[in-house]
Amino acid sequence: MNRFAIKAGLGACVVGASVLIPAQASAEPAATATGTELSGMTVFLDPGHQGSSEGHDLAQQVNDGRGNTKDCQTSGMTSLGGVPEHTINWNVSQLVKSSLESLGAKVVLSRQDDTGWGGCVDERARAASESNADVAVSIHADSTAQGEDASKHGFHMIIPSLPIPDEKADAAQSGGGLEASKMMRDAYKSDGFVPANYAGVNDGLQTRADVAGPALTQVPLVFVEMGNGSNKEDSAQLESTDGQLKHAITITTGIVTYLLTGSQSAPAEELAAAPAATTTTPEASEDSASSTTTTTPKATTPKATPPSTAPESAEFSELMEMLAPLLEVEGLDGLEDLVNDKNLGLVSELASTLMAVITGAGGN
């Protein structure tokens, strides 16, 4: 398959992606998605943290992959608006899961809901390895203070200090894991997200030796910190439905780009090149420490009811609810701008239907 950047479509969250919309001035030819592009491929998604730790000892010591131990798990950060990280991670992962499945991928989750326990960090790494996934993605949001921290902002990918003691983990993370992490970083930058300006992050990459997941995982792993929940702007985006949707689109783009254009095309010398970031001790650990039982606020109901020609299902209603903020704020352009001059957009029949509905109704 030709190398091209892929933009995940809104409608791929529910029904298979079926239409490719080219960028405004793209020289790339348009193509049609069949829903089988990722057939035979497996993606392991780890929505960081858990809804509840009842009956479990978060301080239980587990293998950190480097001959030492660390806490089993933490509760995760809480955004400035009171939304727990585990819920943000869960919402984004569900959108990514649906998008990948619409292209034929098999998706394995580290936890099955946002209410119960999700497992210690070593258990999640073992589950990722046992899934034999083509790539694993751990989805997190960072924090740097209990309250507001206006000066620190941005996304980053955590990559492990090399070498890793376990040979299989070292091979996976020094090869595909590093490559996929760089592709995810590039997807974030291409979509307008700003790399983090703290904790030794270098162009969106942060090298660390204290995060157990990458050191224990024997398949390529991308560890995403979507933003800083202590920063007002980052927090607002992480909390909002349209912000979570934008993160999901970007994460899906990074995953699909790696799966379709990854290791076969990257020169070996590039895979072996370690990032220039200096290992530091960040202010927020692999699993941030704060906890809350606040749940994600529900999005407002869409102003317009779709006509009877649109798909009728619980999933469709949920997607319409999720799209409402984006459509109300950005109008029709909110759908059209899913593509830019560097990307093609995977847009499903549902997205096409929504655009036709909006256009026929005269827009917002």
Side-chain angles (χ1 to χ4, degrees), residues 15 30 34 61 93 130 152 181 187 192 197 213 253 259 269 295 343 345:
V15 296
T34 64
Q61 294 301 289
S93 72
E130 291 175 352
K152 298 181 179 67
S181 295
N197 64 346
T253 300
L259 291 176
E269 59 269 21
T295 56
N343 292 292

Side-chain angles (χ1 to χ4, degrees), residues 16-17 34-42 97-107:
T34 64
T36 60
E37 284 76 10
L38 303 183
S39 292
M41 298 183 183
T42 299
K97 176 179 181 290
S98 295
S99 297
L100 294 173
E101 289 178 338
S102 75
L103 294 174
K106 174 184 177 182
V107 178

Side-chain angles (χ1 to χ4, degrees), residues 90-169:
W90 177 257
N91 291 345
V92 171
S93 72
Q94 291 305 289
L95 293 170
V96 174
K97 176 179 181 290
S98 295
S99 297
L100 294 173
E101 289 178 338
S102 75
L103 294 174
K106 174 184 177 182
V107 178
V108 180
L109 292 173
S110 65
R111 58 186 173 102
Q112 303 308 309
D113 55 51
D114 196 39
T115 57
W117 175 243
C120 295
V121 291
D122 62 326
E123 294 173 321
R124 297 187 192 213
R126 182 164 55 252
S129 300
E130 291 175 352
S131 74
N132 293 315
D134 295 276
V135 67
V137 180
S138 189
I139 299 174
H140 287 257
D142 202 8
S143 66
T144 55
Q146 289 296 325
E148 183 174 354
D149 190 348
S151 66
K152 298 181 179 67
H153 60 83
F155 79 89
H156 64 279
M157 309 297 139
I158 294 177
I159 56 177
S161 296
L162 300 173
I164 296 170
D166 182 273
E167 290 184 2
K168 290 184 178 179

